[in-house]
Amino acid sequence: YQTILIKPVIGEGLTWANTTYNSIHGPIGTYWKKEGKRLELAVTIPANTTATVFIPTGPGARLTESGQAINRAPGVHLLRHEPGRSVVAVESGNYYFTCE
């Protein structure tokens, strides 16, 4: 549990999800909510761990973390863009991504 993979699958008719897993390092949490074209994704990564987060994004989407551009957000490193998502690496902590 030192490297965590978070890859939400957002399906038709589902507008939100919230889950927590109590790992040996502490709670791993994810919450997402979809309203129209806006997606909110909150993740909690416990101490002494890192995570790769796959964030669903559309073409030309504006992606932020706690209101800051993704490339300026502390603890967040943009790894790549893939069709339909952006992939970031994060350190332990709490993150709040938005995509519009």
Side-chain angles (χ1 to χ4, degrees):
Y1 297 107
Q2 288 189 297
T3 304
I4 301 160
L5 178 68
I6 297 180
K7 195 172 185 180
V9 177
I10 301 171
E12 291 292 320
L14 208 56
T15 59
W16 67 276
N18 187 18
T19 188
T20 302
Y21 175 75
N22 291 315
S23 76
I24 60 173
H25 293 285
I28 300 167
T30 62
Y31 165 81
W32 64 262
K33 180 179 179 181
K34 179 118 169 108
E35 290 182 349
K37 294 188 180 209
R38 178 183 171 88
L39 173 69
E40 301 171 9
L41 172 64
V43 297
T44 299
I45 308 302
N48 301 314
T49 64
T50 60
T52 301
V53 183
F54 291 74
I55 306 166
T57 56
R62 181 174 172 257
L63 180 60
T64 61
E65 193 287 312
S66 297
Q68 294 187 32
I70 201 74
N71 60 343
R72 294 186 182 162
V76 178
H77 308 283
L78 179 62
L79 299 176
R80 64 187 175 275
H81 294 286
E82 296 179 352
R85 61 184 161 219
S86 296
V87 184
V88 298
V90 296
E91 301 168 2
S92 60
N94 296 303
Y95 300 91
Y96 180 74
F97 299 100
T98 57
C99 178
E100 299 184 76

